[in-house]
Amino acid sequence: MSENGSEQTGGELIGGRYRLGERLGQGGMGVVRRATDELLGRPVAVKTLALDSGADPGGALREARVVAQIRHPHVIVVHDVVEHDGLPALVMELVDGGSLADRLAAGEVLTPREAARLGLDLLDALSAAHARDVLHRDVKPANVLLEKDTGRAVLTDFGIASLPGATTLSRTGVFIGTPEYTAPERMQGGDAGPASDLWSLGALLCAAATGTSPFRRDSIGAVLHAIVYEEIRPSERMGPLVPVVRGLLERDPDRRLGAAEARRMLAACAAGEPPPVSSYTPTARETVPSAAPGRSARTPGTTTAGDPGAGRRSGRAVPIVAAAVAVCVAVATVAVLRAVQGDPATGAPAAGPGSTSAASTPGRNAPATTPAPASAESDPEAYEYREVTDVRGFTVTVPYGARRSTDGERVIYTTGDGAVRVGIRIRPVPSGGAIGVMRASDASGPTDYPGYRDATVEETTHKGLPAARWEFGWNGFTPAEGARHTVDVCWEQDGTLYDLWASAPVPRAEEGRSALDTALDSFRTTGG
């Protein structure tokens, strides 16, 4: 073993000059090792293919040729291609430092200004590739190396890079890329251009500033659903990065933030300056990409960019082989199409795999009673309510027909018209307690909520327990969403902080308050 615990390879000499050393990393197709170029006396990195990986031997030569076209300080340099065990091996510059993925796995995240500087480096690297008509197609934290002495970011692994117009599936039926960092147009099998790499950069910036991808889910179907369908909202942790991330994660590639504007916005964030005025206008929140022209649906699901649901990381390649896998892909596709086009039986949007309906499995989210929806003669702004038992271990009363979604930390119930949202978050009581949480949220309000205004924070009680209440107005995340009013109440109980909030359009603020009061009065932990 080496001093850092890495496995030694025995000092094998390949290509007549490269002495292999310790293993630096390993992927599905092979390993990367530290090595010494004995002819020039310099350290290098050698990427060798695994004999049983099924990798195309021509892929290494292709990667070398692609990278050779792009001479840029933030793109990995390939020095040589030699033979190892009958397969080509790439000899590359050694970037002495781990990957961004390593840093995130260690529990470290970047500040918004650090993430902005990283984004500028990667944006320049991608622009250099795009100028040569090269798409990277796998921009993710594992493919970003961080040089420990200089902080230089280096984009690596162009193994699946392509020219624009390349198909999403390879000839062997293997998905190309990493699903949770893949743009929706590629997920839907459409044409991909430079804008697809910019989407991946937006997802990477979320991960850099918060610790994980905004689209991480437990299954490929759920990842697909989140990317193509669920509403995307910026995480409060990203601060001044929010505008540029929002623009990069625009689902319509023709309207997505371009490289020039992204560079201006990232440069301002890196310098600690206010974001410049952008020509980018977000797509209306209710509109999502459709598999059929002219079809759209309201979006009850929510993906908070940078605060995703928990789950295992999806792998780089997803083989589509055997009948069972084909069935899974078909089911996921049908779920997405239903989510986009709406449930034909009811005319309402379908919940889909990543956004479980509140009226799903009996005993889990099923209502204790099933009241009829409000009639046409009743107040159009009045809601009927029903009690649901959530899989997170609580029971609460929410508006009838509300759909359940989650971003990992919070459970959100959204009314069928998409207007009113009720959220629940449960966590250990942090330092400062309920009032400390609300005061901190208020302090970051101008950064987290566009047009933040008229805020009040007060210490109170809830059912005799220490509590705090935070109320404010803001502009909404998109012009189509419009001005909103939010009320948030959290309380401490047996070392746990329970946080319930409701958000509604300003003209319907009373509906939001009523929904929150109903949820607060009815909320109890399962069995409580």
Side-chain angles (χ1 to χ4, degrees):
M1 300 289 284
S2 66
E3 291 181 4
N4 65 4
S6 299
E7 180 182 337
Q8 296 286 352
T9 66
E12 181 182 1
L13 187 70
I14 66 173
R17 61 187 282 188
Y18 304 108
R19 183 75 62 183
L20 297 180
E22 65 193 12
R23 179 181 298 173
L24 298 176
Q26 181 169 357
M29 299 299 178
V31 299
V32 177
R33 296 182 175 91
R34 184 186 298 271
T36 300
D37 180 348
E38 296 192 338
L39 179 63
L40 299 180
R42 65 178 176 180
V44 293
V46 174
K47 179 180 179 180
T48 59
L49 300 179
L51 290 171
D52 58 352
S53 67
D56 176 13
L61 280 174
R62 182 174 166 280
E63 179 179 359
R65 288 172 180 148
V66 167
V67 176
Q69 297 181 44
I70 312 165
R71 299 180 62 84
H72 193 276
H74 297 296
V75 173
I76 196 74
V77 175
V78 174
H79 297 308
D80 199 358
V81 180
V82 298
E83 185 178 296
H84 177 251
D85 290 336
L87 295 173
L90 298 185
V91 181
M92 305 175 291
E93 68 169 311
L94 177 66
V95 180
D96 200 2
S99 69
L100 175 61
D102 295 332
R103 181 166 176 174
L104 299 179
E108 301 178 38
V109 296
L110 277 59
T111 67
R113 292 183 68 175
E114 288 173 333
R117 288 192 286 269
L118 172 68
L120 284 170
D121 291 347
L122 297 180
L123 186 59
D124 287 346
L126 289 172
S127 295
H130 296 162
R132 295 285 186 171
D133 288 335
V134 173
L135 302 182
H136 188 280
R137 299 204 300 176
D138 202 19
V139 178
K140 61 182 180 181
N143 288 339
V144 176
L145 303 179
L146 302 175
E147 199 166 49
K148 66 181 180 181
D149 293 331
T150 66
R152 179 174 67 112
V154 179
L155 183 61
T156 187
D157 199 346
F158 282 74
I160 63 170
S162 76
L163 299 178
T167 182
T168 301
L169 294 177
S170 72
R171 293 176 182 173
T172 56
V174 176
F175 181 83
I176 299 298
T178 303
E180 63 189 83
Y181 290 95
T182 299
E185 60 268 24
R186 288 193 57 221
M187 280 292 197
Q188 293 176 303
D191 291 337
S196 297
D197 280 345
L198 297 184
W199 166 284
S200 301
L201 176 62
L204 180 143
L205 289 174
C206 292
T210 66
T212 190
S213 158
F215 304 108
R216 182 171 300 178
R217 297 294 187 272
D218 286 328
S219 68
I220 296 302
V223 171
L224 179 67
H225 179 275
I227 289 174
V228 175
Y229 173 65
E230 293 182 16
E231 180 185 352
I232 302 168
R233 289 196 221 139
S235 165
E236 61 187 33
R237 297 184 230 173
M238 289 186 290
L241 279 175
V242 166
V244 67
V245 165
R246 189 183 296 137
L248 292 172
L249 295 183
E250 162 64 52
R251 284 191 170 94
D252 183 349
D254 293 332
R255 303 184 71 254
R256 192 168 299 152
L257 194 67
E261 281 200 271
R263 183 175 289 103
R264 288 193 303 114
M265 297 172 76
L266 286 170
C269 180
E273 300 171 355
V277 176
S278 171
S279 62
Y280 164 72
T281 302
T283 299
R285 180 182 61 86
E286 293 83 1
T287 303
V288 295
S290 173
R295 300 299 298 271
S296 65
R298 295 183 184 272
T299 56
T302 301
T303 291
T304 300
D307 282 341
R312 296 179 297 277
R313 178 181 295 272
S314 302
R316 167 171 169 170
V318 185
I320 307 177
V321 295
V325 179
V327 169
C328 291
V329 172
V331 170
T333 302
V334 169
V336 171
L337 289 176
R338 288 192 63 202
V340 172
Q341 297 178 345
D343 187 338
T346 65
S355 179
T356 307
S357 168
S360 57
T361 310
R364 294 173 64 123
N365 290 340
T369 60
T370 310
S375 67
E377 291 77 17
S378 65
D379 180 355
E381 294 187 348
Y383 288 118
E384 297 286 348
Y385 288 88
R386 63 166 174 188
E387 185 178 89
V388 296
T389 299
D390 196 275
V391 294
R392 293 288 181 90
F394 61 82
T395 295
V396 68
T397 298
V398 297
Y400 181 86
R403 312 257 179 173
R404 181 189 187 276
S405 62
T406 179
D407 62 18
E409 295 181 345
R410 305 175 301 172
V411 172
I412 302 166
Y413 286 91
T414 305
T415 56
D417 60 5
V420 178
R421 301 189 285 261
V422 177
I424 301 101
R425 182 183 182 187
I426 303 173
R427 54 176 166 153
V429 176
S431 175
I435 188 63
V437 167
M438 292 306 196
R439 286 172 178 161
S441 298
D442 174 53
S444 63
T447 299
D448 301 334
Y449 298 93
Y452 183 75
R453 58 187 175 270
D454 303 328
T456 60
V457 175
E458 60 179 347
E459 200 163 6
T460 183
T461 61
H462 173 67
K463 298 182 179 179
L465 298 167
R469 180 185 179 92
W470 176 33
E471 190 167 354
F472 61 94
W474 55 298
N475 290 345
F477 285 118
T478 69
E481 188 174 47
R484 298 185 68 83
H485 180 268
T486 299
V487 186
D488 191 335
V489 174
C490 65
W491 70 95
E492 306 168 33
Q493 183 174 354
D494 299 327
T496 299
L497 187 75
Y498 296 91
D499 191 343
L500 268 67
W501 54 267
S503 177
V506 166
R508 299 169 63 175
E510 285 306 316
E511 291 180 53
R513 291 191 183 97
S514 177
L516 179 63
D517 290 343
T518 301
L520 287 169
D521 288 344
S522 64
F523 183 88
R524 65 183 184 275
T525 56
T526 302

